[in-house]
Amino acid sequence: MRALVSVAVGVPVLATVVGQSLVTMSGLSVPVLAPRAAETIGIDPGNVGAYTAIVYAAATITSPIAGGLLARYGGLRIQQVALAMASLGLVLFAVGHPLAAIVSALAIGCGVGPATPASSHILARQTPPPLQPMAFSIKQTGVPIGGALAGLLAPPLVLLLDWQGAALALASAGIVCALALQPLRGWLDADRRPDGPRARIRIRGPLALIFSHAGLRRLALASFVFSAMQLSVSAFLVVFFVEAIGLDLTRAGIAYAIAQAGGVVGRIIWGALAETVLRTRTLVILVGVATALSMAVLVQADASWPFWLLAGIAALLGATAIGWTGLYLAEVARLAPPGRAGEATGGAMFMTFGGVVFGPPLVTAILAATGSYPAAFLTLAALNLAAAAWLAAGRNDKKPE
């Protein structure tokens, strides 16, 4: 842990955490704003699942594309572009029209997709291998930090500025961050090859890399299910607390922020345990099982439960359902051929984002058919258990040659 404090490692970790936080905040602000925004746009709040699916459909395509652009432009430049696209998406969402909302989801997805390959590319080059599980776990705290920021900032901004003003205020943070990162580009993008062959926008190469190796393939496919659960939690938790439990928007936002904070703590704890107490892959499996059990407890909740208990369950769910990705990305980087961590991450994230596209619409469909949050969430929990068992079956997969 002390080594991560050094400038050579600490600055890249901090830069990637901040960038990942604000890109994520942009995407997860929309589910928090949804109960108010839906009134203006003229849609049901439950349709936030469809919005989230559009975001991550775009992310699914742009993640492997980013993997092919990193060598020419550098990880930091791609991260700056991701921040700008996510901010543009919030600006478009503030227009308050159904068509603008669809375009905003596409823009945010074009920011979310490149952010993880870009940051993985930076950390794989700047961080010594023994420190990578912790560094990647800390970097991935940017996702729940971004969600916590959305849960804490969006509700009071709505009260102060209305939901459209809140969206614009949150969008400005991403632009400021992109500009603030520019002085680091000469250092963190020192490996770029601007005079080399023009980068090709391609998806096939990163996917071929993932699917040609058993260990990477199994991880990527398991991540499809885990991410379906993760983004369903992020997309529906506020709506669940408001519509099913009866919390007001402010308390629902606090519970949501607590869940995201649980994800921050979980990622750091799992990162500290990885390769010191347990193998990284073993931890991914155990966290997957714990996610399913946490969700099974949450769906028993009703209006009679005290807020502190709901908040505690939300924290546990966050630590597990949101806390697994740093371990996953560290394992992908470990298994990737030398110098291809960013490309491997882009291919793996294609499957991860595919799960995100699948999860929220599945919840929406089950809600439409049954009107039951427990039915929807327990379906995801069962899939999580199956994915953890399948990943455990390949725990001895070897690193590609």
Side-chain angles (χ1 to χ4, degrees), residues 81-146:
V81 172
L83 284 160
M85 291 302 298
S87 294
L88 174 62
L90 279 178
V91 172
L92 291 169
F93 185 70
V95 171
H97 188 276
L99 181 59
I102 293 172
V103 179
S104 82
L106 292 171
I108 290 175
C110 289
V112 170
T116 299
S119 56
S120 291
H121 178 83
I122 292 170
L123 291 184
R125 193 173 68 88
Q126 297 287 341
T127 309
L131 296 177
Q132 286 185 4
M134 176 59 83
F136 276 78
S137 292
I138 292 174
K139 184 265 291 187
Q140 283 303 113
T141 63
V143 175
I145 287 172

Side-chain angles (χ1 to χ4, degrees), residues 86-388:
S87 294
L88 174 62
L90 279 178
V91 172
L92 291 169
F93 185 70
V95 171
H97 188 276
L99 181 59
I102 293 172
V103 179
S104 82
L106 292 171
I108 290 175
C110 289
V112 170
T116 299
S119 56
S120 291
H121 178 83
I122 292 170
L123 291 184
R125 193 173 68 88
Q126 297 287 341
T127 309
L131 296 177
Q132 286 185 4
M134 176 59 83
F136 276 78
S137 292
I138 292 174
K139 184 265 291 187
Q140 283 303 113
T141 63
V143 175
I145 287 172
L149 289 172
L152 291 174
L153 296 178
L157 285 172
V158 168
L159 294 176
L160 183 65
L161 302 171
D162 76 36
W163 74 265
Q164 289 163 309
L168 294 175
L170 293 167
S172 66
I175 298 300
V176 171
C177 179
L179 295 174
L181 290 174
Q182 182 59 29
L184 298 176
R185 192 176 183 231
W187 169 24
L188 298 184
D189 284 353
D191 64 325
R192 72 189 188 279
R193 300 191 298 275
D195 297 326
R198 286 202 170 271
R200 291 181 297 168
I201 296 178
R202 60 196 180 103
I203 297 177
R204 182 179 177 182
L207 289 178
L209 172 60
I210 290 298
F211 281 94
S212 63
H213 300 295
L216 290 170
R217 180 171 63 248
R218 193 179 291 269
L219 271 172
L221 291 173
S223 80
F224 180 95
V225 175
F226 294 159
S227 63
M229 171 69 88
Q230 177 181 342
L231 263 293
S232 295
V233 169
S234 293
F236 287 96
L237 196 59
V238 170
V239 177
F240 170 74
F241 280 133
V242 172
E243 301 288 328
I245 305 299
L247 298 183
D248 59 67
L249 182 60
T250 298
R251 287 203 301 165
I254 292 171
Y256 181 85
I258 289 171
Q260 299 293 340
V264 174
V265 175
R267 291 182 192 212
I268 293 173
I269 292 174
W270 311 143
L273 294 176
E275 304 303 329
T276 56
V277 176
L278 292 170
R279 290 177 59 195
T280 301
R281 179 171 292 207
T282 300
L283 275 173
V284 175
I285 295 165
L286 292 176
V287 171
V289 172
T291 297
L293 297 178
S294 301
M295 180 59 82
V297 173
L298 179 65
V299 298
Q300 308 303 316
D302 58 38
S304 67
W305 288 30
F307 181 74
W308 65 264
L309 182 56
L310 294 173
I313 297 169
L316 181 60
L317 185 63
T320 53
I322 300 172
W324 63 278
T325 54
L327 298 173
Y328 161 65
L329 292 172
E331 187 70 357
V332 169
R334 184 185 72 83
L335 290 174
R340 302 182 71 183
E343 186 179 359
T345 300
M349 292 303 292
F350 181 91
M351 296 304 303
T352 307
F353 287 138
V356 173
V357 174
F358 172 78
L362 175 64
V363 173
T364 297
I366 295 174
L367 285 174
T370 68
S372 169
Y373 279 96
F377 288 163
L378 287 175
T379 299
L380 290 175
L383 291 173
N384 244 59
L385 284 176

